[in-house]
Amino acid sequence: MRRLILISVLLLITWPAAAGVEQRQQASRLLNAYLAEHGPRQKAIAQPPVAIEERLTICGYCHGKDGNSTHADIPSLAGQNPVYVVEQLLVFRTGERYPVMMHGFAKNLTDQEAVAAGLHYSSLPRTSTMETDPELAAAGAPLYQQQCAACHGEDGAGVSEDSAVISAQRPDYLITTMTRFRDPNEQRQSHEMGAEAVKLSDAQIKALAHYIGDLGG
């Protein structure tokens, strides 16, 4: 019985990490296959082989017509790495990530539509849409170097195509997201992010969010 309990606990701990790696790899495969068939990249962005205008209009209601969100707790998608966008659409589609509204949208997307959307948003310039606090941003600078730069880059643009671009992201969204990573819940689960976020206090999360919001905006 004790061994069974231990196995169950280990599965609960490792499942989100394993699922995340699997979805990331799938997203990368989908992007590479799409570009192999419809590339080069700039052509695939300018002339997408699938009609996504209607899908993008729906996205724009919350994430901004130009991909820069002006709504509280809703992220900007402009300038995002395409593999990351596709990966998130996949986990929304399977219900591994909430909210329900995004699941309802993503479950009707084809793989090609997901990739076309990811490429579209990756081509748009990101601009800051929320004022940041200079004092908080200054306090967040050393924290960013310690906790975030290794994966998200010095400029917040990500160190690879599957890591999230976080520069000029809305601080309110970042605060909500980092708190969810830190405090286990069903809305956001990530082994990598959870391991870093658990080290942060509420005040540190707020300072980090304002520093990141200032990057590249």
Side-chain angles (χ1 to χ4, degrees):
M1 175 63 75
R2 188 175 296 174
R3 184 180 178 187
L4 183 59
I5 292 172
L6 178 60
I7 291 171
S8 299
V9 170
L10 286 172
L11 284 172
L12 285 171
I13 292 171
T14 59
W15 178 80
V21 170
E22 182 182 335
Q23 298 287 22
R24 197 171 304 143
Q25 291 173 342
Q26 183 182 356
S28 184
R29 287 194 297 268
L30 288 173
L31 175 65
N32 290 336
Y34 184 96
L35 291 176
E37 184 176 355
H38 305 295
R41 179 172 298 211
Q42 292 308 314
K43 178 187 174 185
I45 292 171
Q47 301 173 336
V50 290
I52 57 168
E53 290 83 2
E54 193 174 317
R55 304 290 196 192
L56 294 176
T57 297
I58 295 171
C59 297
Y61 292 141
C62 295
H63 295 283
K65 196 172 182 180
D66 62 353
N68 290 292
S69 169
T70 57
H71 298 292
D73 285 333
I74 294 180
S76 293
L77 300 179
Q80 189 55 268
N81 283 330
V83 172
Y84 181 80
V85 174
V86 176
E87 178 194 350
Q88 297 312 304
L89 288 171
L90 292 177
V91 294
F92 279 130
R93 188 163 72 184
T94 61
E96 293 169 50
R97 181 181 168 189
Y98 287 70
V100 173
M101 182 175 67
M102 279 302 302
H103 170 63
F105 171 77
K107 72 179 182 179
N108 295 314
L109 283 180
T110 66
D111 289 344
Q112 287 218 333
E113 287 173 332
V115 174
L119 286 170
H120 168 78
Y121 283 113
S122 74
S123 72
L124 301 178
R126 179 175 295 186
T127 57
S128 178
T129 62
M130 182 179 171
E131 190 174 344
T132 55
D133 183 305
E135 289 188 16
L136 285 172
L143 283 170
Y144 183 84
Q145 297 304 319
Q146 296 164 17
Q147 306 290 125
C148 313
C151 293
H152 293 287
E154 297 283 335
D155 57 358
V159 296
S160 64
E161 201 163 51
D162 60 6
S163 56
V165 173
I166 56 175
S167 58
Q169 188 58 270
R170 292 185 60 87
D172 53 4
Y173 170 76
L174 291 169
I175 290 168
T176 297
T177 300
M178 284 190 278
T179 302
R180 285 176 176 166
F181 280 132
R182 184 191 65 186
D183 305 332
N185 66 91
E186 62 183 7
Q187 293 187 307
R188 291 301 296 269
Q189 296 186 45
S190 166
H191 179 73
E192 300 98 326
M193 282 298 302
E196 295 302 320
V198 74
K199 305 171 187 175
L200 301 171
S201 66
D202 287 348
Q204 288 173 320
I205 284 175
K206 190 173 183 181
L208 265 175
H210 281 261
Y211 176 76
I212 295 166
D214 241 7
L215 285 174

